Structures are given as C-alpha cells and as structure tokens.
C-alpha cells in the first residue's frame, strides 16, 4: 500500500478513474510503463503533478505501437502540443481512448484525428493516399492507389466536396462491423520482449519457440546485417 | 418557436433567480425584477380566481403575450449575451450566471456551440468561484432556488459520470472534475433544511460510500478475471482471432463452473453426506461378481467398479423422498437441477448473443467497402513483427482483390470448370459424411455384440472401439475436407464458413448416430430388465422359503446387498458412455496437440540444421493455430456435457477440469509451437456465428435428453426416480405431499389445456406482431437510405454546378439531421429484433 501511495495520492487515483476507463491497478501499471520509457526523465512521485513530457521517438518504440503503421499519427493526435510529446495525462488519455471500454463515438473522434494527416479537419485525398500507402507498405501501383482513394471518397462523401468531413467519417465508421475491435490498443504489464526473455529463462517457453523473442532477435539481426 | 423557447426560458429563469439576491445594480436585473413581481402578482391572482374569472384570464393572457415577447427579444439578445460577458469580465454576477447556464443546459446537439463557449469562459471564472459561493451561501434560499440548485447538483453529478466519454484532453477533464467535485461539496450540504438537511447529508454520505464500494468492487472484479494476461499476450502475438478462441474457452469455463456448482452443491454433496452410505442397499454396492476387479485401474479408468457405484452416476442415488435431518428432497432436487442446467445454459447463450448483436453496428451495409477496408482493417492489437508482416500482406491482397472485383475484369472462361469442381467437392464431402456415419453405426452395432457376449473376452481396442473411431474421424475428416476445399477456389472467408459448416455436419452426424445406437442399447437393456424382474420375484420367494425353514418367528430378510440380483440400469449405462466419450475425446485432443504441434515444431526446429531444404519455410513448417476446428471441438464437447449431465452428475466437474487443463496446455502450445496465420482475420464478426452454433448444439443436445426423460420409464431398482412411472412424476408427488391442497388445485387449473392453449396463441401473436413491426422498421430504414442517397446525388450535382462555391451548409445540416433520425430508427428496430429473439 505504501508503495502505491508514493506514486499517486488516493484523490489523484480516484480522479483518474473518473476520467478514464481504467481501474486503479491499471493506472498504476500505466505509470510504470510511462516511467519505463524514460526512467531518468519521469519521476516515480507524481503526487504534485510534475510537468514532464516524453518525446515522440521514445513512445513510438513501445511494443504496443512499434508495429503500427499509424504510430506517429496516434501519438501526435493525443499530444497537447501536436508535436508528439506526451505528458502523463496525455499518455493515460491515449490508452483510455484506445481501450476496450471506450465508446464508439469517442473512438470515432480520435480515429478521425489520427487519419487526418495534415490536420485541416478534413480527410482529403492526400490523407487517404498516405493512409493507404502505410497500410500496404506502398505495394500498390499509383493507379491502384488513385482508384481506391477515389472510390473511398465516392462512397462516404455525403456533401459532395470531395473530402471527408467528420460527419461523413462518423457516418461511415459508425456502421463498420469491426471498427470497435480494430481501434483497440492493449497495454501489457511488461514489454513483450521482457516477457519472452523471462519465459525463456524460467522455462515456460522453450528457446526454440518461433514466436516473440526469436523472431525479434532474428529480425534485428537481419536488419543490422543489411 | 415553443420548442426552442422552452430550454432557453428555463435558463433565463434560473439566471433571474440567482440574481435577485445580488446587491449590485444592473440593467438586465431591473427588467427581470419587474417580471418576478408580476409573477408574484400572478400568484395572488390565482388566489382570487374564484371571485373574478374572466378578468383574470384576460390578464393572464396579456401577461403571457408579454412574456413571450420579452423572451423573444431576449433571445435575440441572447446570442450576444455570453460574448458580452466575456468582454466585460468585470461583474462577478455575470460569470456566475454563466456557470449556472452551463449547469442548466441539457445535453443536446443544438446547444453544443454555446456550451463550448460557456465552458471557455468558465475556466477563467473558476478562480473567483469560491469567494462567490461563500457569499451565496449566506443568503437564504427559497424553495424554487433550492429546486434549481438541486438540478444544478444533479447536472454536475451527471457530468462526472459521463466525463470519461468526453473527447477532451485529460488536463481539462481533471479540472472539470475537480470543479464539479468542489461544487458538489459546497452545495450538496445546502440542500434541505433542519432534519431534512441532516437526512440529506446522511443520504449523500451513504451514496458516496456506496459509490466507493462499487468502484472497489469493480476493481476487484476485473482483478478476478482469470488468464487476462495470458490472453493479452497471445492477442499481441497472433492477433485477435486466435485470442477470440481463448476468450471463448474462458467463457465456457465460467459457464461450466456454474453448472458444476449446481450439480455438486445440490446433488452430489447432499447424497454423499446425508444419503444412505455405501453398501447399505443393492444399488449402492458393487455386485459380488464384480467385486474382485472393482478396484483395478483398468476398470476404474472405464468408470466401472467402484466408480460406477458412486455419486458420480445416476444409479447410485436413492429414491427416498427426503433425506437427512434437513429433509432434503433428493429426487426433486435431482430433477430440478437437471432442468435448471439446461435452462441456465439457454439463458446465458441467448443473452450473450443479444449483447453481441447490440455491440455490432449495422454491418449489413456494403456501400462502404473501400472506406472500411481503409480505416478498419488494421488490427491495433498486433505487436509482433511477423504477425504485422502477414497483416500487411493480407491487407494488400484484399485491396487488390477488391480492385479486381471493382474493375469486373474477371475472366468468365473457366467458370464452368470451377462450378464443376465445386459440385465435385460437395459430392466428395457428402460421401465422406455418409461413410463416417455408416462407420460409426457399424462400430456401435459391433460393440453391442461384444457387450452381449461379455467384454471380458476382448481386448482394449474392442472395448474402446466406438470412442476411438469417433475421435479419429473427428481428427482426420476435417483435414480431408480441407484438401477437398482447395478444389473449390473460394474466397478464404467463405471457404472458412464452408469448412465450419462441413465439420459441424460431420460432428452432428456422428453424435446422432451415436445417440441412435445408444437408444437401441437402451431398448435392449429394458428388455433385459423385464427378465431380471421375473427372476427377482423367484429369487425373493426362494429367499423367503429358505429363511422360513430355518426360523419361523422372525422373517428379516438378511441377504447381503451385493448378492441381490439387479436390473441393468440403463441410465448409468448412458452416463458411462458419455463420460468415456469425453475422456477419450480429451485424450485425443491433447495427444494431437503434443504430436501435431509440439513434436512437429521440435522436429522442424532441430532437423533444420542438417536437412537438404529449409524445413521452417518449406514443406512441413510450423503449424498454424486452427481456430475454427478448436472452437467446434469445444462446442461439441459442451453439447455432450449437456446431453449426458442428467445421467452422470460428474460430467460438469470433468469438463471444468478438462477446460482448465486445456487452457494452460493450449496457451503454452500456441506460444511455443505455432506460427501466426498467414491470413490474419479479425474475429469480431464471427463471434456470434460461434454463439449461434452453440445454441443449435444446445437445442439438439437437449432434444434426446428430454426425450428420454419424458418417454422412457426409469429403471425399477436404481436412481432417484425408481419405482415411478415417469421421471417427471416427482413434480406431481411434491405438489401433492409438500404443498397445501389449494396450490395443487391452482396448478392443475393452470396446466389445463384450456388455459395453456390461449397462452400459446398469445405468444405466437406477440411474436408475429414484433416481427411485423421490425419488418416495417426495416422498410422505413431502406426508404430513408434511398432518400439519403438521392439527396447525396442531388448535392453532388449542385456542387458540380456551383463548381467553385463551397457546399451549402444548410443542406449538409439537413442531411446530417436525417442521418441521426435514421440511426435512431435503426437502433429502435434492432431493439425490437432483440426482444423478438429473446421471446423466440
């Protein structure tokens, strides 16, 4: 108990619970994750709301976000300065909105922000092209990209201005069957790699396991060789 | 005008109330004061109403007119009002008003802009707020103000509960929360007077405690959900489809826990503690002939010997009406638990289905094919590079497919060939199904022959032939189907559904052949029972004769219960069959897991160093996790539990054990020997598909169970219903013996066909009504959709015409509001559908 209270006061925890979809334990765990990102920067004691921000480059490397093609946009749209530096509040906010419990409307608002690359409050063709290229790792030909973007705009543009406003976007996304589950980020107690290391060490996963650590090691080795 | 006016008028009123007590003079205040005076006058008028009717009504009318005029003018001012405040900034009063307005405004889209403005101004005012509030408290409060204050407090409370859903940055949320908490602290106490005040304060305190308790409980509950971390781990490595299997497994585990609790707590434990002990009567004793081998492991493993004559099976239970000092009604409890298990399962499955249906948006719209692909195809849960690569590839191919479909450049030349192949594939699958059905029937027949000749003469294979054949079929036929389905060249999603449907048919066919064979066996046993009954009377007569010859005064029949001849007890036989089936099924699942996944992974991993081709990416490779097959296995396993639980109360316990073990085993196997699927599907769409299958299985598995309960008389010398004509007679008996006479009468009236038939008719009518209303909703929906599309077309034309101008905001708003209406309708119709589904 004493350990917990050095991080947050009870009031703070209650307030965070009121403002997010998390339980007390999860908030503490989130703080742990946040602290892990920059141990020298983030203090363990948050009782007096220190003004600390972690830069984008560190956050993007979290295992939850590392594989996500939109990681930069996600972090940017949750940062208060728009540059991608997250305070702890923003950090909690991000995980709260992208948690399982968040309602569809809330997710739609932030999804719109994420996909609006040039922050002009419209998703225009440029944004769509960027989205598509990130999704397919630029494996489609320019003609195909063009076709897909045009079709997408044609489908969901209601007011005919050749770009998607939030109303258009919400109308489209609110009927998507798997939107809720797709915009859902998880947070783990430890990073994946640590988990794998631990399980290899303790023997719960044999070292020939093809998942997790091995793949990670293999990939990093390949990258470093090339 | 009226509708618009009402909320605004309310605002004004509240403002006025708040301002009355201020000593500072203001222009607006004067106006309002006058009005409040007029209102007081109005009160007096109402008092005098008896005296001069007409005059007063005229006055009233005048006043009303004045009021509306005033309001209208004020409304015109109103737009500028708040902005003015902002500019002035000086008067505390105004700022407080702003706060008040904020609290009063109901949540609604038309007010949004205004609220945003107000909340901006509110931030600046927060500092001064506290001093104002103290001033406020001093003044005495009239009842009306109290009302308003109460409303404000409620509004704040509401704000706190919905705060987490607001799209604000966290800092603002925290601030608002703090402010609302402060506000509540200050004013909750002010409500109520004297005793009422105390009571109110007490209430508030209790409410706070209750909220705290609820939150703690919620925290506790989430902490209690088992295997959360394990599943999250798997989710991040393999995507949500594999995780969905484990979530389903956990859900099953929960249900089985409850079933286990029911049977264990209400049937097994009471019989074991309060019933007659082992060896006290024939049905509770191992017969003399079997006693020598009753403790052998092979016998126990087959659930024979001591296991057969224990609380684990139907036959052990005594038909004594009430047992122990608690007068526990054992047979009744047994019956009700059997019925309750099924009823509970139905309830849970249907409830989950309804909830799932609610969560899924109206996904039937296919107009947004590309947009959805673009914005929802990435699974944010993916945290593993390999899975991510697969996902990128699958997204790219899906886009390419969609583009090809869009261009409609599909070659038609080989469509006849694919059709031919599809027909051929279906023919082959049908052959497989028929063959497997025949094989099972053949094997069951053979096993009956063995059983008649005595199992002791045969080896292990002959004894377990049926189960082994069923498990092997369940293992190899799906692989065969998989090969056959390559012929068909379907889209993988459709192919998956075909595959699921085929495996489902296979399992179902197998299960039902098994049940039919079991029915044959039951009939055989019942014939045997008749002969045993005859023998029994002869044996009794012999016994009597013997004892009479020795001792004529006391005729206590003291035969050892092990020597008493007994019937075959078909119920226990059925229970045993099911238990054996479950055990062998579990074993095959685990063994295939170990051989098919683990050994394969080990081989591939280590032989790869000294092999001529790449084993990891070449032919054997690592295995993928087969979600559909595993889910189906789970569903059928559950079906067998539901079927057999009545005759073998130990089945839920066994199943809980099985699920527990497979949770750990499969989690481990997935993490260490499987690779992510090549085509990563998202799971959410198919969740209700699984549930629907579960419901079908539940229905199909309760059918035979109910048939046996209702139409076959129970064995004469074993089980809780021995001596009765039918099992459900136990209800009748309870009604007669344990309830007053009038209750029985009422019950008999209620079960009269004259009452039941009209009731059924009413239900049918209600279903019909709900269905037709949902149909009309659907129609209205379609119509609205059409209108919307037409409007869009029109819009687009207009925009083309006025090429450079921006789109007309009026039109856009119209279409937006219409959409809202459309959505509301949609929701309503969905709700109807749900209720309809529940009734059904």
């Amino acid at each position: 108990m004493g350990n917990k209270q050095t991080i947050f006061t009870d009031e703070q925890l209650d307030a965070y619970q009121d403002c997010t979809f998390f339980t007390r334990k999860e908030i503490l765990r989130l703080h742990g994750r946040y602290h892990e990102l920059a141990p020298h920067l983030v203090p363990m004691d948050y009782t007096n709301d220190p003004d600390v921000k972690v830069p984008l480059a560190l956050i993007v490397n979290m295992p939850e976000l590392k594989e996500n093609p939109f990681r930069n946009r996600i972090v940017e749209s949750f940062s208060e300065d728009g540059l991608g530096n997250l305070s702890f509040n923003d950090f909690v906010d991000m995980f709260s909105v992208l948690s399982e419990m968040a309602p569809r409307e809330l997710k739609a608002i932030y999804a719109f922000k994420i996909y609006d690359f040039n922050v002009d409050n419209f998703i225009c063709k440029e944004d769509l092209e960027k989205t598509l290229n990130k999704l397919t790792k630029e494996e489609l030909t320019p003609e195909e990209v063009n076709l897909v973007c045009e079709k997408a705009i044609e489908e969901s543009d209601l007011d005919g201005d050749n770009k998607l406003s939030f109303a258009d976007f919400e109308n489209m996304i609110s009927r998507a069957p798997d939107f809720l589950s797709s915009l859902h980020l998880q947070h783990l107690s430890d990073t994946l790699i640590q988990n794998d290391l631990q399980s290899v060490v303790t023997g719960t996963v044999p070292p020939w396991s093809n998942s997790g650590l091995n793949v990670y090691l293999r990939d990093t080795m390949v990258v470093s060789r090339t | 005008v009226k509708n618009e006016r009402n909320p605004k008028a309310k605002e004004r009123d509240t403002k006025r109330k708040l301002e009355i007590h201020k000593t500072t003079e203001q222009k607006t205040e004067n106006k309002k004061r006058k009005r409040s005076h007029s209102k007081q006058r109005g009160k007096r008028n109402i008092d005098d109403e008896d005296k001069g009717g007409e005059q007063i009504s005229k006055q009233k009318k005048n006043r009303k007119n004045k009021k509306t005029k005033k309001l209208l003018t004020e409304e015109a001012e109103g737009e500028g009002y708040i902005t003015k405040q902002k500019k002035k900034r000086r008067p505390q009063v105004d700022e407080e008003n702003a706060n008040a307005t904020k609290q009063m405004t109901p949540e609604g889209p038309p007010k949004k802009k205004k609220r945003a403005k107000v909340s901006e101004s509110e931030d600046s005012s927060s500092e001064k707020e506290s001093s104002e509030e103290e001033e406020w408290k001093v003044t005495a409060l009239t009842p009306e103000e109290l009302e308003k204050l109460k409303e404000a407090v409620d509004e704040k409370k509401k704000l706190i509960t919905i705060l987490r859903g607001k799209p604000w940055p966290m800092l603002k949320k925290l601030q608002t929360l703090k402010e609302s908490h402060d506000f509540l602290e200050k004013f909750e106490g002010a409500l109520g007077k004297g005793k009422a005040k105390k009571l109110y304060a007490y209430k508030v305190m209790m409410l706070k405690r209750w909220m705290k308790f609820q939150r703690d409980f919620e925290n506790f509950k989430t902490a209690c959900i088992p295997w959360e971390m394990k599943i999250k781990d798997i989710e991040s490595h393999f995507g949500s489809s594999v995780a969905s299997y484990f979530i389903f497994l956990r859900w099953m585990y929960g249900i089985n826990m409850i079933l286990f609790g029911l049977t264990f707590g209400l049937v097994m434990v009471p019989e074991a503690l309060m019933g007659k002990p082992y060896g006290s009567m024939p049905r509770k004793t191992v017969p003399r002939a079997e006693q020598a081998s009753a403790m052998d492991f092979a016998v126990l493993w087959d659930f024979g010997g001591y296991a057969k004559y224990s609380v684990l099976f139907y036959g052990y239970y005594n038909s004594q009406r009430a047992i122990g000092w608690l007068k526990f009604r054992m047979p009744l409890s047994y019956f009700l638990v059997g019925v309750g298990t099924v009823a509970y399962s139905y309830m849970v499955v249907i409830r989950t289905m309804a909830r799932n249906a609610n969560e899924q948006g109206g996904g039937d719209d296919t107009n947004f094919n590309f947009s959805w692909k673009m914005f929802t195809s990435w699974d944010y849960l993916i945290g593993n590079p390999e899975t991510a690569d697969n996902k990128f590839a699958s997204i790219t191919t899906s886009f390419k497919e969609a583009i090809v479909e869009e261009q409609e450049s599909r070659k038609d030349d080989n469509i006849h060939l694919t059709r031919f192949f599809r027909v051929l594939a279906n023919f082959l699958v049908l052959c497989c199904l028929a063959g497997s059905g025949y094989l099972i029937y053949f094997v069951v027949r053979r096993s009956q022959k063995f059983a008649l000749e005595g199992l002791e003469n045969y080896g292990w294979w002959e004894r377990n032939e049926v189960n082994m054949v069923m498990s092997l079929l369940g293992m190899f036929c799906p692989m065969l189907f998989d090969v056959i389905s390559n012929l068909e060249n379907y889209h993988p999603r459709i192919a998956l559904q075909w595959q699921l449907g085929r495996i489902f048919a296979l399992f179902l066919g197998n299960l039902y052949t098994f049940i039919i064979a079991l029915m044959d066996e039951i009939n055989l046993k019942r014939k045997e029972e008749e002969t045993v009954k005859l023998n029994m009377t002869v044996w009794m007569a012999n016994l009597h004769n013997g004892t009479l010859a020795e001792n004529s005064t006391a005729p206590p029949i003291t035969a050892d219960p092990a020597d008493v001849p007994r019937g075959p007890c078909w119920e226990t036989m059925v229970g045993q069959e099911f238990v054996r089936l479950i055990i062998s099924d579990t074993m095959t699942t685990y063994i295939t897991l170990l051989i098919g996944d683990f050994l394969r992974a080990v081989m591939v991993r280590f032989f790869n160093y000294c092999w001529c081709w790449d084993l990891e990416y070449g032919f054997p490779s690592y295995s993928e996790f087969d979600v559909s097959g595993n889910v189906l296995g789970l569903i059928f396993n559950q079906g067998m539990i539901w079927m057999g639980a009545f005759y073998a109360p130990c089945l839920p316990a066994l199943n809980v054990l099985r699920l527990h073990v497979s949770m750990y085993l499969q989690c481990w196997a997935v993490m260490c020997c499987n690779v992510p699927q090549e085509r990563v599907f998202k799971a959410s769409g198919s969740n209700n598909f699984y549930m629907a299958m579960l419901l079908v299985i539940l229905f199909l598995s309760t059918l035979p169970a109910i048939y046996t309960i209702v139409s076959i008389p129970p064995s004469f010398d074993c089980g809780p219903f021995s001596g009765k004509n039918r099992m459900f007679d136990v209800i009748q008996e309870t009604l007669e013996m344990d309830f007053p006479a009038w209750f029985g009468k009422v019950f008999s009236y209620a079960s009269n066909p004259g009452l039941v038939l009209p009731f059924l008719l009413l239900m049918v009518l209600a279903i019909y009504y709900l269905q037709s209303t949902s149909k009309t909703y659907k129609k209205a929906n379609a119509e609205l959709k059409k209108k919307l599309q037409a409007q869009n077309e029109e819009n687009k034309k207009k925009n083309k015409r006025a090429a450079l101008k921006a789109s007309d905001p009026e039109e856009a708003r119209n279409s937006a509001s219409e959409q809202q209406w459309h959505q509301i309708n949609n929701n309503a119709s969905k709700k109807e559908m749900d209720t309809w589904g529940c009734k059904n």
Side-chain angles (χ1 to χ4, degrees), chain A:
Chain A
M1 212 45 203
N3 188 22
K4 277 175 195 169
Q5 263 156 2
T6 52
I7 302 175
F8 292 113
T9 59
D10 272 346
E11 289 82 53
Q12 271 177 316
L13 278 175
D14 275 345
Y16 276 126
Q17 283 179 68
D18 270 331
C19 294
T20 63
F21 298 95
F22 291 132
T23 61
R24 184 191 175 94
K25 206 172 148 195
E26 283 168 320
I27 288 160
L28 287 169
R29 198 184 291 152
L30 269 178
H31 177 264
R33 297 300 313 279
Y34 190 65
H35 179 77
E36 235 169 59
L37 288 175
H40 54 283
L41 211 66
V42 181
M44 277 312 275
D45 178 22
Y46 248 80
T47 45
N48 48 1
D49 286 326
D51 183 27
V52 175
K53 284 189 175 176
V54 173
L56 177 114
L58 286 176
I59 292 164
V60 157
N61 273 328
M62 289 174 74
E64 288 91 335
L65 289 171
K66 208 176 63 203
E67 297 303 326
N68 200 314
F70 306 112
R71 51 187 176 269
N72 285 0
R73 278 304 306 157
I74 295 172
V75 177
E76 274 162 22
S77 49
F78 280 98
S79 76
E80 222 162 340
D81 53 7
L83 294 173
N85 302 322
L86 292 193
S87 65
F88 180 65
N89 281 334
D90 301 333
F91 188 75
V92 173
D93 212 19
M94 177 168 86
F95 277 98
S96 169
V97 169
L98 296 179
S99 76
E100 225 169 336
M101 312 281 293
R104 195 178 271 269
E105 301 80 37
L106 189 65
K107 287 198 173 195
I109 290 168
Y110 281 97
F112 185 77
K113 275 191 194 171
I114 288 170
Y115 293 121
D116 180 15
F117 280 80
N118 50 11
V119 208
D120 60 352
N121 284 331
F122 285 102
I123 293 183
C124 50
K125 209 172 158 196
E126 202 182 319
D127 295 325
L128 287 178
E129 275 166 12
K130 271 186 192 165
T131 311
L132 193 59
N133 280 333
K134 285 199 185 251
L135 267 182
T136 57
K137 285 197 169 170
E138 307 190 17
E139 274 177 26
L140 295 181
T141 62
E143 293 85 54
E144 283 171 330
V145 170
N146 201 20
L147 181 84
V148 170
C149 293
E150 267 172 15
K151 286 301 288 181
I153 287 183
E154 193 187 311
E155 279 166 3
S156 38
D157 183 22
L158 290 179
D159 43 18
D161 54 359
N162 267 333
K163 48 189 180 181
L164 305 185
S165 64
F166 178 63
D168 298 334
F169 183 77
E170 197 187 16
N171 174 45
M172 180 267 295
I173 212 84
S174 64
R175 298 195 209 149
D178 36 15
F179 167 61
L180 265 188
S181 64
S182 82
L183 202 71
H184 165 196
L185 206 65
Q186 64 176 110
H187 60 282
L188 306 170
S189 62
D190 311 295
T191 60
L192 290 177
I193 299 151
Q194 267 184 346
N195 243 359
D196 277 344
L197 263 182
Q198 213 174 23
S199 45
V200 169
V201 169
T202 54
T204 46
V205 174
W208 57 77
S209 149
N210 195 43
S211 58
L213 178 73
N214 279 345
V215 176
Y216 173 77
L217 289 180
R218 198 176 62 204
D219 284 8
T220 46
M221 273 155 74
V222 167
V223 167
S224 59
R225 234 181 280 151
T226 56

Side-chain angles (χ1 to χ4, degrees), chain B residues 394-618:
Chain B
S394 83
I395 288 175
T396 313
T397 42
S398 85
F399 267 117
K400 281 195 171 149
E401 273 171 17
I403 290 167
V404 169
E405 267 171 39
E406 188 60 36
Q407 286 166 341
E408 288 194 334
S409 60
R410 260 212 153 136
K411 286 157 200 155
D412 289 26
D413 52 1
N414 59 359
I415 199 153
H416 292 296
L417 195 64
T418 41
R419 261 188 205 154
F420 170 72
F421 274 132
R422 280 175 193 180
V423 171
L424 184 71
N426 277 319
F427 178 72
L428 286 177
V429 167
L430 272 182
C431 284
C432 274
L433 289 178
S436 71
Y438 178 73
L439 190 61
I440 289 179
Y441 190 72
F442 174 74
V443 167
V444 170
R445 267 294 155 89
R446 227 160 74 107
S447 79
Q448 283 168 7
K449 203 183 75 192
F450 293 149
L452 279 183
E453 290 170 10
L455 275 176
E456 298 77 34
N457 313 329
Y458 294 96
W460 179 85
W461 171 257
E462 274 82 4
R463 252 182 279 154
N464 293 295
E465 202 174 36
V466 182
N467 307 328
M468 288 311 291
V469 165
M470 275 183 78
S471 308
L472 286 178
L473 278 178
M475 218 164 79
F476 286 111
C477 275
M479 290 185 201
L480 211 59
F481 290 163
D482 211 14
V483 173
I484 290 172
S485 73
N486 281 338
L487 279 178
E488 290 177 312
N489 198 17
Y490 275 125
H491 183 273
R493 203 182 288 263
I494 300 168
L496 180 78
Q497 276 176 0
W498 273 97
Q499 174 82 352
L500 276 179
R502 278 168 190 163
I503 300 175
F504 194 77
L506 171 80
F507 281 11
L508 208 65
N510 293 358
L511 207 62
Y512 260 70
T513 11
F514 175 73
I515 288 166
I516 289 168
L518 217 57
M519 285 290 181
D520 280 354
E521 210 161 334
I522 289 174
N523 287 336
L524 273 180
K525 293 258 167 176
R526 284 185 53 218
K527 268 180 208 151
E528 199 184 322
E529 203 178 88
E530 293 299 313
T531 55
V532 168
K533 260 187 193 171
L534 277 179
N535 286 346
M536 188 89 167
T537 45
V538 175
W539 180 81
M540 288 282 265
N542 279 343
L543 198 69
H544 273 278
N545 286 343
T547 46
L548 277 175
E550 281 172 20
N551 192 351
S552 54
T553 45
I557 305 157
T558 49
D560 193 297
D563 295 328
V564 177
R566 58 187 79 179
C569 198
W570 60 267
E571 291 97 337
T572 300
M573 186 268 296
V574 171
Q576 261 179 318
E577 286 294 329
F578 274 109
V579 170
R580 279 183 206 147
L581 201 61
I582 293 285
I583 296 280
S584 75
D585 188 42
T586 314
M587 284 299 131
T588 32
T589 315
Y590 292 164
I591 287 168
T592 32
L593 197 83
L594 283 182
I595 294 176
D597 289 347
F598 183 68
L599 274 187
R600 183 168 155 188
V602 172
M603 295 257 291
V604 167
R605 179 81 189 171
F606 286 112
F607 281 106
N608 202 26
Y609 297 121
C610 50
W611 206 262
C612 32
W613 70 81
D614 190 0
L615 284 175
E616 279 187 334
Y617 290 94

Side-chain angles (χ1 to χ4, degrees), chain B residues 49 52-63:
Chain B
E49 206 158 16
E54 280 186 17
Q55 266 191 345
I56 295 154
S57 63
K58 258 186 196 172
Q59 268 185 357
K60 258 188 181 170
K61 262 184 194 169
N62 278 341
R63 214 172 50 237

